[in-house]
């Protein structure tokens, strides 16, 4: 007899099949797909980089085959060597690099000194290393819980970080949810705090209130105060209603509420999200990104500022036509801003006054993705703001560390971990079109063996979010778009209304309209592509994950143009979804009300209500512990398609959340997607 599970019976059966048979039910693998998966698996993942305050050294985190490890090098990438607390290299996970103000010492997080088999509670130690090599890394604080986002005070006397005492999972809505058991929402609630450790004594202090879940923080310039975003727990759900606070950097200190986006008095920020609080150099103001954001970590919006002691909130960038995603004060009246601009990544200088922030120059604009690993589109800066480092990848080149002087050109790569890798897919180019008064942009990947005399099938890939954007990046093993190009499909990745890159009004343009205006933008983009290249309109496919999974389920109810669909972690019924997911706070900002107050707005975007119109073969894939797009949504769609005699297949992956982490599952989901299109949508 099977043990009880948090999964409904159909999910349990599928999960058991996957877990016990090593994907015995997987379709036969095309040799081309097998080769492609093998090549994608050769990529070495560079997870983070930090430049020393004096601009002379780099530290990066790289994951080659096993655990992530740390290396230190000169600023030009030379003389790289491993830095580790492990007795044997590679035996434990090390990450979270943060340089001390003296540019000599480096703090990092490691699980080397703990017994990983003794408890389900995460165990991590903060180490301090002398990068001159004069001594082995020393333990600074051994902690029972989740630790991330190390940040030194300016005087080098303390390190702050985000800390979840007693954590049993990563603090993220995209991580696998805990199995539902016991009294839901009461037992086992894990709370993330801002904490600090004193360098001299190793004393741990939890700074933020015990009942408050903190998401991001920043030290004041003098290290005496912290600013942070926080909400009541549960943390995965309430990020969408987080507020901005400031307080002295002491346990039990009085907090000051600076910004409350849930309050009507917050003006243009009302009902939106806030991220990345940053103190001005004189400590008088706190700037942050505010906008309509789908997920924590996918930051985008306008730049706001508020007095650090409380007062009038100001939108510094109303009506701009780019999407700021990260910022750093570089002076009393200047900022460095990373932003999405028409589907590309841009790093720009802004002049800042009391009432506005205006872009002055763009240092560079690249058809590539970059980040230092700490936040979306973040870069690591030297203290004088003259040197920069980040990890960059594109469709043309795999991830490398880029570092150099901050100038009017993108710095070159200083590593060559992945230099031998060559794209297996075709060239990428930006495509632009106009629809219903808006400028729209997307990316087009050509077939790997493109012949202009032939006609090709094309797969449309809709990104997640919807508050996000397709920006070129090197793919990994797992669900993605570029591998379809390697199998000689055209691949079209649009950034329709709701996406980052055209300004906040564009992001908000699909509020209360999911699946309609955004779908019209996508179809207009398909028309634009078909005028440009030899795509057979009778051989169009559609796929996407998360919001893209919803669109993959919904679009076939509105149009018959698509002949094959793969829906990843989708949503088939917004009304039932509201009561199933663990992050329902994200929905009122996008739908205008809860499902209980306005069920009609949810019903009009639910594929299940138009299911009789679907004729398209559909593969559906999902993780069984997905908190963002729960597996019952996929089951509901699969069940309805079977009832309509539409060819369909549902695959549920055990112990996976919204983002898959098991390499076997990552490989299998891509293999199945490619195989589905090969079966129902011949490429050439």
């Amino acid at each position: 007899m099977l043990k009880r599970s948090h999964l409904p019976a159909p999910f349990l059966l599928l999960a058991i099949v996957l877990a016990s048979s090593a994907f015995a039910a997987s379709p036969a693998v095309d040799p081309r797909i097998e080769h492609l998966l093998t090549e994608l698996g050769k990529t070495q993942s560079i997870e983070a980089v930090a430049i020393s305050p004096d601009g002379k050294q780099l530290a990066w985190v790289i994951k080659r085959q096993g655990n992530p490890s740390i290396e230190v090098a000169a600023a030009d990438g030379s003389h790289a060597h491993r830095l580790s607390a492990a007795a044997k290299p590679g035996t434990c996970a090390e990450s979270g690099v943060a340089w001390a103000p003296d540019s000599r010492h480096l703090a990092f997080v490691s699980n080397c000194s703990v017994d990983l088999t003794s408890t389900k509670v995460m165990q991590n130690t903060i180490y301090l290393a002398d990068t001159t090599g004069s001594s082995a890394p020393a333990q600074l604080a051994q902690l029972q819980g989740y630790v991330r986002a190390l940040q030194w005070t300016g005087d080098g006397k303390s390190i702050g970080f985000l800390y979840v005492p007693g954590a049993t999972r990563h603090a993220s809505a995209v991580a696998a949810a805990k199995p539902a058991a016991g009294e839901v929402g009461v037992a086992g609630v894990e709370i993330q705090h801002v904490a600090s450790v004193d360098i001299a004594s190793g004393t741990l202090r939890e700074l933020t209130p015990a009942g408050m879940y903190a998401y991001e923080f920043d030290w004041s310039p003098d290290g005496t105060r912290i600013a942070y975003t926080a909400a009541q727990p549960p943390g995965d759900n309430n990020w969408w209603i987080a507020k901005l606070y400031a307080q002295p950097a002491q346990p039990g200190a009085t907090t000051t509420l600076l910004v409350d986006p849930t309050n009507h008095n917050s003006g243009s920020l009302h009902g939106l999200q806030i991220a990345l609080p940053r103190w001005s150099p004189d400590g008088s103001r706190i700037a942050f990104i505010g906008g309509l954001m789908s997920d924590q970590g996918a930051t985008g919006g306008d730049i706001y500022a508020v007095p650090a002691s409380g007062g009038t909130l100001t939108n510094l960038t109303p009506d701009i036509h780019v999407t700021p995603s990260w910022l750093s004060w570089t002076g009393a009246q200047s900022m460095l801003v990373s932003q999405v601009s028409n589907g590309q990544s841009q790093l720009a200088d802004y002049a800042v006054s009391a009432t506005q922030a205006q872009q002055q120059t763009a240092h560079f604009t690249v058809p590539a993705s970059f980040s230092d690993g700490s936040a979306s589109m973040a870069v690591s800066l030297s203290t004088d703001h003259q040197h920069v480092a980040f990890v960059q990848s594109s469709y043309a080149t795999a991830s490398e560390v880029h570092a150099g002087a901050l100038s009017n050109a993108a710095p070159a790569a200083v590593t060559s971990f992945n230099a031998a890798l060559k794209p297996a897919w075709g060239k990428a180019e930006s495509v632009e079109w106009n629809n219903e008064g808006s400028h729209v942009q997307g990316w087009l990947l050509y077939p790997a063996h493109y012949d202009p005399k032939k006609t090709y099938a094309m797969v449309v890939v809709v990104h997640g979010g919807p508050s996000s954007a397709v920006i070129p990046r090197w793919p990994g093993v797992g669900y993605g778009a570029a591998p379809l190009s390697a199998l000689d499909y055209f691949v079209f990745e649009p950034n329709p209304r709701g996406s980052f890159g055209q300004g906040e009004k564009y992001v908000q343009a699909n509020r209360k309209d999911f699946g309609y205006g955004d779908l019209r933008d996508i179809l207009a983009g398909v028309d634009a592509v078909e005028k440009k290249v030899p795509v057979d309109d009778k051989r169009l496919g559609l796929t996407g994950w998360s919001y893209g999974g919803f669109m993959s389920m919904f679009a076939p109810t509105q149009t018959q143009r698509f002949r094959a669909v793969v829906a990843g972690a989708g949503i088939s019924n917004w009304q039932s979804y509201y009561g199933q997911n663990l992050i329902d706070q994200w929905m009122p900002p996008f739908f205008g009300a809860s499902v209980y107050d306005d069920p009609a707005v949810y019903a009009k975007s639910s594929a299940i209500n138009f299911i009789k119109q679907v004729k398209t073969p559909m593969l559906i894939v999902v993780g069984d512990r997905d908190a963002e797009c729960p597996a019952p949504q996929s089951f509901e769609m699969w069940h309805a398609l079977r009832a309509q005699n539409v060819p369909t297949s549902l695959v549920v992956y055990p112990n996976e959340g919204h983002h898959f982490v098991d390499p076997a599952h990552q490989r299998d989901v891509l293999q199945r997607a490619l195989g589905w299109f090969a079966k129902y949508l011949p490429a050439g």
Side-chain angles (χ1 to χ4, degrees), residues 519 523 526 530 536-542 553-565 610-618 641 646 681:
L519 179 57
L523 294 176
V526 171
E530 290 182 352
D536 181 355
D537 189 65
K538 301 299 183 183
R539 288 188 290 152
L540 295 178
L542 179 66
M553 292 178 176
F554 187 76
T557 73
Q558 307 297 306
T559 176
Q560 299 299 318
R561 289 185 74 174
F562 300 108
R563 304 307 172 96
V565 169
F610 309 96
I611 198 66
K612 291 286 188 179
Q613 302 177 58
V614 181
K615 309 297 181 186
T616 310
M618 186 179 299
L641 292 174
V646 175
L681 194 76

Side-chain angles (χ1 to χ4, degrees), residues 29 41 86 150 183 204 303 322 333 346 423 452 549 578 601 609 614 658 664:
V29 182
L150 304 185
E183 187 175 359
L204 173 70
I303 300 173
V322 294
Q333 295 181 310
Q346 189 174 77
Y578 198 99
V601 72
N609 292 333
V614 181
H658 200 57

Side-chain angles (χ1 to χ4, degrees), residues 54-68:
D54 63 7
K56 295 180 180 180
Q57 294 186 84
L58 297 170
W60 56 70
V61 179
I62 184 167
K63 185 176 182 181
R64 291 184 170 89
Q65 300 297 328
N67 288 312

Side-chain angles (χ1 to χ4, degrees), residues 415-619:
T415 61
S416 56
F417 297 117
N418 296 305
L421 301 179
K422 304 300 178 186
W425 40 91
K427 71 173 182 177
E429 64 182 34
S430 179
V431 179
E432 302 181 34
W433 65 100
N434 295 313
N435 187 51
E436 299 178 4
S438 292
H439 177 75
V440 194
Q441 182 272 344
W443 289 96
L444 180 67
L445 282 169
Y446 280 67
H449 307 96
Y450 177 59
D451 181 347
K453 297 178 182 179
K454 294 182 179 180
T455 58
Y456 293 87
M458 182 168 77
V459 178
V460 178
V461 182
V462 183
H463 65 67
S467 302
S468 183
V470 176
I471 303 172
R473 70 176 65 239
W474 190 269
V477 176
Y479 170 86
L484 287 160
S485 165
L487 297 183
D488 284 333
Y489 293 93
F490 272 104
V491 179
F492 179 46
E493 301 175 278
N495 285 314
R497 68 188 74 178
S499 304
F500 293 158
Q502 310 289 345
E504 185 62 19
K505 289 183 179 179
Y506 187 78
V507 177
Q508 298 189 30
N510 74 338
R511 272 179 152 176
K512 303 176 71 171
D513 194 44
F514 284 6
Y516 293 94
D518 43 9
L519 179 57
R520 293 194 299 274
D521 286 347
I522 291 169
L523 294 176
V526 171
D527 293 340
V529 169
E530 290 182 352
K531 292 177 181 178
K532 177 182 177 67
V533 293
V535 169
D536 181 355
D537 189 65
K538 301 299 183 183
R539 288 188 290 152
L540 295 178
L542 179 66
T543 188
W545 198 273
S546 194
Y547 188 82
F550 150 69
M551 289 290 285
S552 297
M553 292 178 176
F554 187 76
T557 73
Q558 307 297 306
T559 176
Q560 299 299 318
R561 289 185 74 174
F562 300 108
R563 304 307 172 96
V565 169
V566 177
I571 297 167
S572 60
N573 185 343
W574 289 104
Q575 291 177 286
S576 61
Y577 169 83
Y578 198 99
Q580 292 170 350
N581 75 82
L582 300 183
I583 56 165
D584 62 329
Q585 293 285 12
W586 83 266
M587 302 178 74
F590 285 89
F591 285 88
S594 76
V595 72
Y596 314 115
D597 293 319
D598 187 1
V601 72
Y602 290 85
K604 81 166 191 174
S605 293
S606 295
I608 209 72
N609 292 333
F610 309 96
I611 198 66
K612 291 286 188 179
Q613 302 177 58
V614 181
K615 309 297 181 186
T616 310
M618 186 179 299
L619 169 65

Side-chain angles (χ1 to χ4, degrees), residues 330-386:
T330 54
Q333 295 181 310
S334 61
M335 288 180 183
L336 186 67
V337 178
S338 295
Q339 54 198 23
V340 185
S341 177
N342 205 38
Q344 299 192 79
S345 299
Q346 189 174 77
L347 191 64
D349 283 325
Y350 276 66
V352 184
S353 70
T355 59
Q356 63 182 353
Q358 289 189 320
Q359 182 174 325
Q360 300 299 294
T361 59
H363 289 284
F364 53 83
T365 305
V366 291
S369 299
F370 63 70
S371 173
D372 68 359
S374 66
S376 174
M377 296 187 71
V379 301
S380 182
L381 288 169
S382 59
T383 300
D384 62 7
H385 308 117
Q386 298 303 303

